[in-house]
Amino acid sequence: MIQAPRGTFDILPDSAAQRKVVEEQVEKVLGAAGYRRIETPTFEATDLFARGVGEATDIVQKEMYTFDDGGGRSLTLRPEGTAPVCRAYVEHGMHKLAQPVKLWYLSTFFRAEAPQRGRYRQFWQVGAEAIGSAAPETDAELIVLLADLLQALQVKETRLRLSSLGTPETRAEYREELKRFLRKHEDELSEEVRSRIDLNPLRAFDADDARTRSVMSDAPILLDRLNEDDAEHFAQVRALLDDAGIRYELDPTLVRGLDYYTRTVWEFTSDALGAQSGVGGGGRYDGLMEILDGPPTPGVGWAAGIERMLLAASDLAAPADLVDLFVALAKPDGNRTAFELAREARRAGLQAQLELAGRSLKGQLKHADRIHARWVAIVGENGVVTLKDMESGDQHDAPVQNVIPTILRGGAKS
Ligand code: HAM
């Protein structure tokens, strides 16, 4: 039997209804702040991600679905949305629009990761990007919008971690300082951390080993090394969040898996999730546009995983489908009046379903009840219809042309 590929899933109708609720909330929360939808292609030139996300990242090294398009061009299924949105910004000359350009997307993304609960190879993200503003208000506003969205979707037990990465230069200097520090304490570090001093010194902050942890409690932290402008920018973001009543933990070891970040970075986690606890995260990417050969343009944004938000909001209820009219057949053979009645009802704005399964009349009424139809029209010969009000149980005969006006008058489901 052929099954969906490992790490992918089908979205069945109940789940699609839930996701519609998510999309409506996204539109409401982001639309209210002037964000407008953008959708970019599912695949892009591989180089966009190699340069944008960063050659050295796990995403580019191990997780991309890359293929040759048959004409010698290397394409990649998008692993994330920020680089594509920046590409579109440059390609369409959006720097000529009023800045910042505020965009959102809700699309599928692809990463060849080991599948587990909350981690898939094809997954959905909602993302928001504000391109063309360096103001700390933009960072704070985006964080508030993500907090509002998580709250609107009743995502449980969320926590916000916040940090600033400063500039790439500050980061490079800091990295060297951290390496010097780690070398000085080499014999107190776990074997694993010691072997990765050059490759990934920041990993030392995540070590479980007790002695390593005690060394790291005195390690220099990047937040203390920010230049004056970056420190001031971060202080303003924090002040705005404080005023907005958004609680956060400062986490100077917060690392995001993408290389384009500068200054503010953040991540929302949910304790209601297991190992894959990151529901949504983002940050500022002031250098990305230039990496993509665009004009120097600051930007900031976030993305949140739809599946993780739904997992952490397990009681998100979708409204039930409404059926105004079920058109039943008195006799099972082809009945053009019934077919036409269902069509007319839909034209009049009603949700109308026609019997399609050759059920007995009793079976049809049972089915109408199961789908919570408000009215049933049993179409007999000569265009005579028995119209049954499923709420009161009353029924009467009527000419077919009276059915829709009666329903419209007597109460359709809404
Ligand atoms: P990211 O942290 O890599 O950021 O992904 C954002 C969210 O997507 C994660 O918090 C998680 O909820 C979800 N996610 C990531 N990978 C998977 C997966 N394999 N399965 C299920 N869900 C997943 C970005 O992608 C950046 N583009 C965010 C951003 C926008 N930064 C600035 N602007």
Side-chain angles (χ1 to χ4, degrees):
M1 193 179 75
I2 300 173
Q3 294 186 321
R6 204 166 118 77
T8 70
F9 50 86
D10 300 305
I11 297 172
L12 301 179
D14 282 344
S15 170
Q18 236 187 6
R19 283 160 187 263
K20 190 171 162 219
V21 176
V22 174
E23 185 168 334
E24 283 163 1
Q25 290 300 331
V26 166
E27 264 169 8
K28 197 164 138 195
V29 171
L30 294 175
Y35 284 74
R36 300 178 70 210
R37 189 165 189 168
I38 182 171
E39 290 297 339
T40 58
T42 306
F43 51 81
E44 296 268 2
T46 301
D47 203 34
L48 174 66
F49 302 112
R51 276 155 65 186
V53 174
E55 290 281 8
T57 58
D58 277 356
I59 293 181
V60 172
Q61 292 273 315
K62 302 185 229 167
E63 296 170 3
M64 298 209 300
Y65 287 98
T66 296
F67 57 96
D68 185 295
D69 73 347
R73 282 168 295 263
S74 178
L75 298 176
T76 292
L77 296 183
R78 58 184 171 198
E80 66 99 48
T82 309
V85 167
C86 289
R87 188 224 9 96
Y89 179 93
V90 178
E91 191 167 326
H92 300 282
M94 291 192 223
H95 62 280
K96 288 184 230 131
L97 306 177
Q99 306 291 300
V101 176
K102 297 182 286 188
L103 303 165
W104 68 267
Y105 47 88
L106 200 172
S107 357
T108 45
F109 294 88
F110 306 84
R111 294 185 193 175
E113 299 190 81
Q116 62 180 88
R117 185 171 184 265
R119 189 164 74 194
Y120 311 98
R121 292 183 170 173
Q122 174 175 349
F123 57 98
W124 292 71
Q125 274 187 355
V126 51
E129 316 284 353
I131 303 176
S133 164
E137 285 79 3
T138 319
D139 309 47
E141 185 174 86
L142 276 160
I143 295 172
V144 168
L145 289 171
L146 180 49
D148 287 349
L149 179 66
L150 295 176
Q151 195 182 22
L153 296 175
Q154 295 168 41
V155 176
K156 290 177 287 191
E157 299 173 57
T158 57
R159 274 202 261 186
L160 170 60
R161 294 189 297 148
L162 180 72
S163 189
S164 175
L165 300 178
T167 60
E169 295 74 42
T170 311
R171 240 165 23 242
E173 279 165 31
Y174 167 73
R175 217 180 132 92
E176 291 311 311
E177 182 187 355
L178 182 61
K179 281 195 216 163
R180 285 196 298 278
F181 172 87
L182 292 172
R183 280 207 201 90
K184 207 166 84 196
H185 296 275
E186 209 156 344
D187 39 348
E188 299 158 70
L189 300 174
S190 73
E191 175 54 39
E192 202 204 333
V193 170
R194 211 181 316 144
S195 68
R196 297 180 64 98
I197 291 181
D198 280 318
L199 218 59
N200 194 349
L202 282 162
R203 275 273 163 89
F205 284 105
D206 300 330
D208 293 326
D209 170 65
R211 279 184 80 199
T212 307
R213 291 186 76 87
S214 117
V215 171
M216 294 315 288
S217 63
D218 292 325
I221 59 170
L222 177 58
L223 269 180
D224 294 334
R225 298 293 182 268
L226 298 185
N227 69 35
E228 213 175 303
D229 283 354
D230 293 346
E232 174 57 24
H233 191 273
F234 192 48
Q236 289 186 35
V237 173
R238 291 184 58 186
L240 291 162
L241 292 178
D242 291 338
D243 288 352
I246 303 280
R247 282 209 302 233
Y248 56 85
E249 299 156 39
L250 269 193
D251 182 352
T253 66
L254 178 62
V255 271
R256 308 251 317 120
L258 307 115
D259 274 356
Y260 48 61
Y261 291 116
T262 54
R263 293 190 159 178
T264 323
V265 283
W266 69 88
E267 194 154 86
F268 280 89
T269 55
S270 167
D271 292 340
L273 295 173
Q276 301 305 317
S277 63
V279 243
R284 186 164 270 291
Y285 44 87
D286 291 346
L288 178 56
M289 207 63 82
E290 278 171 279
I291 293 174
L292 302 177
D293 300 325
T297 314
V300 54
W302 52 256
I306 302 293
E307 292 74 35
R308 292 195 196 167
M309 289 196 292
L310 288 173
L311 278 172
S314 47
D315 38 18
L316 186 73
D321 293 330
L322 303 173
V323 182
D324 298 308
L325 171 65
F326 183 76
V327 181
L329 310 176
K331 285 220 182 102
D333 49 351
N335 186 323
R336 284 153 72 180
T337 313
F339 188 86
E340 196 52 31
L341 175 59
R343 181 157 182 256
E344 285 295 329
R346 290 175 207 133
R347 282 193 175 149
L350 300 172
Q351 211 278 22
Q353 295 190 29
L354 176 66
E355 166 63 14
L356 296 171
R359 276 173 275 247
S360 68
L361 187 55
K362 199 170 148 211
Q364 294 180 61
L365 286 166
K366 218 162 133 188
H367 178 67
D369 196 42
R370 201 164 37 224
I371 62 174
H372 304 295
R374 174 71 181 77
W375 299 85
V376 177
I378 305 161
V379 181
E381 275 157 282
N382 311 323
V384 175
V385 171
T386 307
L387 187 60
K388 181 168 181 184
D389 180 336
M390 297 293 276
E391 248 166 43
S392 63
D394 296 344
Q395 62 178 60
H396 64 276
D397 288 352
V400 68
Q401 61 272 22
N402 288 4
V403 169
I404 294 167
T406 306
I407 294 176
L408 289 173
R409 254 196 330 272
K413 286 199 174 180
S414 58

